[in-house]
Amino acid sequence: MIEKTLSIIKPDGVKKGVIGDIVKTFEENGLKVVAMKMIHMSKREAEGFYAVHKEKPFFQSLTDFMCSGPSVVQVLEGKNAIDKNREIMGATNPKDADPDTIRDKHGSSIEVNTVHGSDAPETAKTEIAYFFSDIETFS
Ligand code: ADP
Ligand code: MG
């Protein structure tokens, strides 16, 4: 099924200068970029985005990290895009990520792990709408 998913190149990925490498990996794996922009999230925007984690012990630290510099938010489209993106990203903790996944190559820690990807159709829909209006995404 052709799906859309939200992807974020987190502030560590932008700082390391690996935007191009990450986008190339998506494209080589059949995912097309159908929306893209660079944003510097405010604390409030980061808290809203990660609201499902607000009870977690790492919530403050995670949202501080997410607003520590600019990120690239993008919508990826392709066959099974949601699961495919999660595969390409690798496990949340870079130590557990399969070889050659983005988090294996570029992630620094379980928190500073370079990329975000939606985890299900419902979350993809709400996460895309969090950053992009309908006329800002293509197909
Ligand atoms: P994923 O991004 O793989 O979907 P989660 O939804 O569980 O992972 O967590 C969201 C983000 O919170 C992670 O990508 C990571 O940046 C951070 N995070 C997750 N678990 C921890 C943890 N135990 N300690 C610090 N940060 C964490
Ligand atoms: Mg998640």
Side-chain angles (χ1 to χ4, degrees), residues 25-73:
T25 305
F26 291 141
E27 291 179 339
E28 283 174 351
N29 283 276
L31 295 178
K32 275 201 145 76
V33 178
V34 296
M36 176 181 257
K37 62 188 168 191
M38 186 175 277
I39 59 163
H40 191 149
M41 273 185 229
S42 65
K43 180 77 169 166
R44 206 171 139 260
E45 286 166 342
E47 287 172 350
F49 181 72
Y50 275 125
V52 298
H53 294 303
K54 67 175 183 293
E55 307 301 334
K56 304 271 171 67
F58 56 82
F59 183 67
Q60 279 309 323
S61 168
L62 170 64
T63 52
D64 282 344
F65 160 55
M66 290 302 287
C67 57
S68 66
S71 303
V72 173
V73 291

Side-chain angles (χ1 to χ4, degrees), residues 50 53 86 116-117 119:
Y50 275 125
H53 294 303
R86 302 275 311 182
H116 166 83
D119 61 8

Side-chain angles (χ1 to χ4, degrees), residues 9 13 18-26 74 102 106 114-115:
I9 303 175
V18 293
I19 297 170
D21 185 65
I22 292 169
V23 173
K24 185 164 187 273
T25 305
F26 291 141
Q74 57 196 330
I102 293 168
H106 301 301
T114 318
V115 277

Side-chain angles (χ1 to χ4, degrees), residues 10 50 53 58 62 86 92 103 110-111 113:
K10 297 183 181 185
Y50 275 125
H53 294 303
F58 56 82
L62 170 64
R86 302 275 311 182
T92 307
R103 284 166 165 172
I110 190 166
E111 178 173 281
N113 60 3

Side-chain angles (χ1 to χ4, degrees), residues 64-107:
D64 282 344
F65 160 55
M66 290 302 287
C67 57
S68 66
S71 303
V72 173
V73 291
Q74 57 196 330
V75 179
L76 305 176
E77 184 181 69
K79 197 162 168 250
N80 301 321
I82 296 167
D83 285 346
K84 182 169 277 182
N85 180 36
R86 302 275 311 182
E87 263 174 50
I88 297 167
M89 285 167 34
T92 307
N93 189 342
K95 285 198 184 79
D96 303 326
D98 287 343
D100 296 325
T101 58
I102 293 168
R103 284 166 165 172
D104 170 60
K105 282 171 74 184
H106 301 301

